[in-house]
Amino acid sequence: MLNRSTLLSFDAGQYVYRMGDAPGGIYGLVSGNVGILSGPFSETPQLMQLGRPGAWTGEGSYITRQPRLIELQAKLPTIMMYLPLDQMDKMTFLNPQVIRNFSMIMIHTIGVLLRIVNDLQLVDPARRIAATLDRARMQYLIELPITQAVLGEMSCATRRQASIVLKEFSENG
């Protein structure tokens, strides 16, 4: 896999790929951070999750051969490993068991999505914000590259609610 991949660098704010882009390969986060954005095609995609070094994404195109359903945007200067779709096909032709390895990326993605759904079902805004911070920190272990407004969006709360809750968390240590 390493011999078939290339390293790519992205500046903060640069998109790795956008919703609706042609099918392509998978990306592994080496360093930096990416935001994972999604939403209906008729609306502006919203930040749903932050990536973590070592994680891979983009498997949907490999499986479906359909356009991208999410967006990846570098939040910090970022380095990603890219395995092109044609190389994925060559690997699975040589060893069909490799399909399971690529499918495990989707299983991980489903786990993250289930966690997001669970977090957003919490009624108390402070608990939703705490769960969102916990999920994001689990994925990215240093300072989070998001604003209070974005934290509010990610947790179905307002920027004001996020600000109040963060102040309370800070005061409580």
Side-chain angles (χ1 to χ4, degrees), residues 1 17 22-28 36 55-70 72 80-85 88-89 92 98-113:
M1 188 165 162
Y17 59 80
I26 57 174
Y27 291 83
I36 302 159
W56 289 83
T57 191
E59 73 284 356
S61 289
Y62 166 73
I63 294 168
T64 67
R65 305 301 161 127
Q66 298 296 309
R68 302 281 189 182
L69 295 177
I70 65 171
L72 287 184
M80 299 196 82
M81 184 172 285
Y82 176 63
L83 180 62
L85 191 57
M88 295 174 76
D89 289 339
T92 53
V98 172
I99 293 170
R100 288 191 178 132
N101 298 353
F102 293 141
S103 297
M104 288 304 294
I105 299 169
M106 184 168 287
I107 298 302
H108 173 74
T109 299
I110 290 169
V112 172
L113 290 173

Side-chain angles (χ1 to χ4, degrees), residues 63-147:
I63 294 168
T64 67
R65 305 301 161 127
Q66 298 296 309
R68 302 281 189 182
L69 295 177
I70 65 171
E71 297 186 351
L72 287 184
Q73 182 185 36
K75 294 297 181 186
L76 301 170
T78 297
I79 297 175
M80 299 196 82
M81 184 172 285
Y82 176 63
L83 180 62
L85 191 57
D86 67 324
Q87 293 300 314
M88 295 174 76
D89 289 339
K90 288 177 183 175
M91 290 172 67
T92 53
F93 178 78
L94 294 172
N95 181 359
Q97 296 300 315
V98 172
I99 293 170
R100 288 191 178 132
N101 298 353
F102 293 141
S103 297
M104 288 304 294
I105 299 169
M106 184 168 287
I107 298 302
H108 173 74
T109 299
I110 290 169
V112 172
L113 290 173
L114 291 172
R115 170 85 192 268
I116 292 170
V117 169
N118 183 65
D119 292 351
L120 294 179
Q121 288 178 332
L122 298 169
V123 176
D124 178 28
R127 290 190 67 205
R128 280 196 315 276
I129 292 167
T132 301
L133 285 170
D134 180 58
R135 188 179 72 242
R137 294 284 297 171
M138 175 182 68
Q139 299 291 339
Y140 190 71
L141 300 177
I142 61 173
E143 189 175 313
L144 297 176
I146 59 174
T147 64

